[in-house]
Amino acid sequence: MTHAELSRPSRKQRVRTLWISDVHLGTRDCQAEHLAQFLKAYQADRIYLVGDIIDGWKLRGGVYWPQAHTNVLRRLLTMSKRGTEVIYVTGNHDEFLRRYSRLILGNIQLVDEAEHLTADGRRLLVIHGDQFDVITRYHRWLAFLGDRAYESTLVLNRWLNHWRARYGYGYWSLSAYLKHKVKGAVNFISDFEVAIAHECTRRGFHGVVCGHIHHAEIRRVGEVDYLNCGDWVESCTALIEHWDGTIELYRLAEAQAREAREAEALREPA
């Protein structure tokens, strides 16, 4: 099945596991509509919400909660009702939920971290990752300051994609592009990956699934499989485990581009 087919809500695909992180419901830059469409496309045995699903930091300053954000929660509850196990791993932006860790409500669990066993036998640590971010852990005032600067970039990102959509172009992330170009950001990402991989090795895991830094990636770090879900504010990415244990990195921009190419091919005369 193609990425284009996967992105259509009328064509559900059965998969073993989905991982999403950093949705930031309650913020203006949350790509809730895209996420709801993505969730509609899959039927999963298990879905991990890998932290920062609800942005408690933002909600302290005032409530922004459009219908699209409610639709995401309703979609997750519907999946749970239909048999999907939903495991909510807390993050730093939804740290207010950490006081309720180990809470179980039907098919929904709330935890600070989890262990996932893939179909091919790998033990993966599932954790948001803020525990391995020195700025977030020890310098919260810097984290809040950085969050403000990041919001400014996301505002530009929002307007850019508004005009791209009007002219028929697919989604593209300015903020994700800048991360690849700014040396400090690249170094921060590398340090984060090494730190979390070291913890996995120490604890005997084969790999880690995390979020936090809004940088989706699947790669080998030392002896550890490093898998980052990315986010649903700038890059719109997720991880998908298939029935043989292989894990795929889904990118909305790639799915849209492939769908556009296939639609164009169908319009061309034979």
Side-chain angles (χ1 to χ4, degrees):
M1 185 174 286
T2 66
H3 284 279
E5 289 171 325
L6 296 183
S7 65
R8 295 170 187 160
S10 60
R11 302 287 296 273
K12 285 187 180 292
Q13 184 185 13
R14 274 292 309 270
V15 295
R16 192 167 186 265
T17 314
L18 295 175
W19 289 272
I20 62 172
S21 73
D22 297 271
V23 179
H24 292 274
L25 294 170
T27 68
R28 294 183 183 276
D29 297 294
C30 169
Q31 303 289 332
E33 296 89 349
H34 289 313
L35 177 56
Q37 289 296 104
F38 170 78
L39 292 173
K40 285 180 182 179
Y42 293 93
Q43 181 180 349
D45 280 5
R46 181 176 294 131
I47 180 168
Y48 289 92
L49 308 176
V50 193
D52 287 4
I53 305 303
I54 299 171
D55 197 319
W57 290 12
K58 262 299 188 186
L59 291 175
R60 291 172 190 165
V63 177
Y64 173 80
W65 197 276
Q67 183 61 42
H69 294 205
T70 298
N71 292 343
V72 169
L73 295 182
R74 290 180 64 183
R75 173 55 48 186
L76 291 168
L77 290 172
T78 297
M79 294 174 75
S80 172
K81 182 179 178 181
R82 293 175 179 173
T84 298
E85 183 181 5
V86 179
I87 301 174
Y88 193 131
V89 179
T90 57
N92 54 305
H93 280 256
D94 46 21
E95 62 186 353
F96 64 94
L97 294 173
R98 285 178 171 164
R99 71 185 72 175
Y100 307 110
S101 293
R102 301 297 175 186
L103 179 66
I104 299 176
L105 297 172
N107 257 357
I108 303 175
Q109 300 179 46
L110 185 66
V111 298
D112 291 335
E113 64 176 56
E115 177 181 329
H116 177 77
L117 186 65
T118 65
D120 56 4
R122 288 175 291 161
R123 291 177 59 240
L124 302 180
L125 173 64
V126 183
I127 191 167
H128 180 63
D130 59 291
Q131 302 89 335
F132 303 92
D133 178 350
V134 174
I135 292 176
T136 298
R137 190 171 182 181
Y138 298 110
H139 305 285
R140 288 181 60 86
W141 67 274
L142 272 177
F144 281 105
L145 185 63
D147 197 51
R148 294 290 185 183
Y150 179 60
E151 285 175 12
S152 299
T153 307
L154 290 179
V155 170
L156 293 174
N157 196 69
R158 189 194 315 154
W159 281 103
L160 174 64
N161 278 286
H162 168 76
W163 288 105
R164 283 177 63 86
R166 288 198 63 174
Y167 286 98
Y169 293 98
Y171 183 82
W172 181 76
S173 175
L174 169 65
S175 45
Y177 171 79
L178 291 175
K179 280 184 182 178
H180 289 282
K181 297 299 181 182
V182 179
K183 184 178 180 181
V186 173
N187 290 340
F188 169 78
I189 290 169
S190 177
D191 291 344
F192 174 85
E193 293 171 346
V194 170
I196 204 167
H198 175 75
E199 177 67 9
C200 285
T201 301
R202 187 184 70 82
R203 294 171 60 178
F205 286 98
H206 297 105
V208 60
V209 177
C210 59
H212 185 58
I213 60 173
H214 294 207
H215 181 73
E217 190 165 18
I218 295 179
R219 75 183 187 95
R220 193 80 173 164
V221 180
E223 299 180 353
V224 170
D225 290 325
Y226 173 84
L227 306 105
N228 194 303
C229 312
D231 65 278
W232 287 87
V233 274
E234 49 179 307
S235 55
C236 297
T237 53
L239 295 170
I240 304 168
E241 181 191 7
H242 298 285
W243 293 100
D244 61 355
T246 58
I247 298 177
E248 168 196 359
L249 176 55
Y250 170 94
R251 296 183 186 274
L252 175 66
E254 292 177 0
Q256 289 180 335
R258 184 164 301 188
E259 184 174 358
R261 288 196 300 269
E262 292 185 356
E264 183 65 26
L266 289 174
R267 286 195 294 266
E268 293 178 356

